[in-house]
Amino acid sequence: QVQLQESGPGLVKPSETLSLTCIVSGGSVSTGSYYWSWIRQPPGKGLEWIGYIYYSVNTNYSPSLRSRVTISVDTSKNQFSLKLSSVTAADTAVYYCVRVLSGGVVDSWGQGTLVTVSS
Amino acid sequence: EIVLTQSPATLSLSPGERATLSCRASQSISTYLAWYQQKPGQAPRLLIFDASNRATGIPARFSGSGSGTDFTLTISSLEPEDFAVYYCQQRSNWPPITFGQGTRLEIK
């Protein structure tokens, strides 16, 4: 059974870059069957898809975040990462790394990590 | 982008009662709809995919139905652990993945 674990700073200053990593165990990020993705949830609000990486090189991002987002993968460490630049308080959220099946169903979630944007 | 609208926003019921949650899509999505359950402080969990298929390990009291634009999640007899927030999600035209705003199921 695949397990995902997010890691990264819990506090980021406005205008800086948010960086998170997701360590994957029990599965390989190189597997072509899955889309390794990030989803976020502002406190008390709903879920927002950020983007995915597929086959280690193919990426797709939410149109609303595309200009600020980069998702990459490190196959040697079996992990994938999120970078979100020029953050504001609106980017404060719990960030989840997830595994998405080829059909677009999210079948596995990390526990989530709260990132607060504040000076 | 396909918009999903869930109703009601909050549903207050007692254990043992039947719960009916709705999700409406802004355009037809066939049966490409999933349901997730989220408890406080936890990540969401997949309950139902493709409108009516239970995910592995999900109790039979959870069922999903619908196609096109109107979908329903039914919990036949509420257990104490079922009180949570429920989200629908479409995959008809992904990316992007889009979610409804959620229905909070609370104890009456």
Side-chain angles (χ1 to χ4, degrees):
Chain A
Q1 180 178 349
V2 69
Q3 293 187 316
L4 303 95
Q5 178 66 58
E6 305 88 351
S7 64
L11 181 64
V12 181
K13 290 182 168 56
S15 80
E16 295 190 343
T17 296
L18 178 159
S19 296
L20 296 174
T21 295
C22 181
I23 298 172
V24 179
S25 57
S28 171
V29 295
S30 302
T31 303
S33 301
Y34 305 117
Y35 295 73
W36 303 98
S37 304
W38 291 91
I39 289 171
R40 70 179 183 178
Q41 184 173 37
K45 296 187 177 181
L47 300 160
E48 179 184 21
W49 176 75
I50 298 171
Y52 69 65
I53 188 162
Y54 174 66
Y55 256 132
S56 302
V57 294
N58 298 303
T59 56
N60 194 291
Y61 304 128
S62 167
S64 64
L65 298 172
R66 183 171 293 137
S67 63
R68 300 192 291 130
V69 173
T70 302
I71 297 176
S72 60
V73 69
D74 185 336
T75 55
S76 67
K77 295 181 179 179
N78 208 39
Q79 63 187 37
F80 61 104
S81 299
L82 168 71
K83 292 188 185 299
L84 181 65
S85 64
S86 305
V87 297
T88 69
D91 295 309
T92 293
V94 174
Y95 285 76
Y96 295 99
C97 59
V98 303
R99 187 178 78 173
V100 182
L101 304 179
S102 60
V105 174
V106 184
D107 77 327
S108 299
W109 299 70
Q111 67 182 27
T113 187
L114 174 63
V115 179
T116 301
V117 179
S118 175
S119 56
Chain B
E1 180 177 300
I2 296 173
V3 177
L4 299 176
T5 303
Q6 293 187 240
S7 61
T10 302
L11 184 59
S12 300
L13 294 170
S14 301
E17 290 193 296
R18 181 184 185 90
T20 303
L21 288 67
S22 295
C23 178
R24 174 165 290 178
S26 59
Q27 64 189 73
S28 178
I29 57 171
S30 185
T31 58
Y32 298 133
L33 189 96
W35 291 94
Y36 301 82
Q37 176 194 66
Q38 186 178 33
K39 297 180 180 179
Q42 296 184 17
R45 173 176 70 145
L46 176 65
L47 296 176
I48 302 286
F49 64 95
D50 290 351
S52 61
N53 297 288
R54 277 190 301 276
T56 302
I58 301 303
R61 64 181 181 272
F62 291 91
S63 63
S65 63
S67 65
T69 60
D70 292 303
F71 300 87
T72 300
L73 174 69
T74 301
I75 310 172
S76 60
S77 179
L78 286 166
E79 298 287 343
E81 61 267 27
D82 298 337
F83 292 91
V85 179
Y86 292 83
Y87 293 95
C88 58
Q89 174 243 321
Q90 69 83 23
R91 67 175 188 88
S92 170
N93 189 24
W94 93 285
I97 285 171
T98 54
F99 294 88
Q101 81 279 18
T103 289
R104 181 179 305 276
L105 178 56
E106 64 177 26
I107 299 176
K108 187 174 182 180

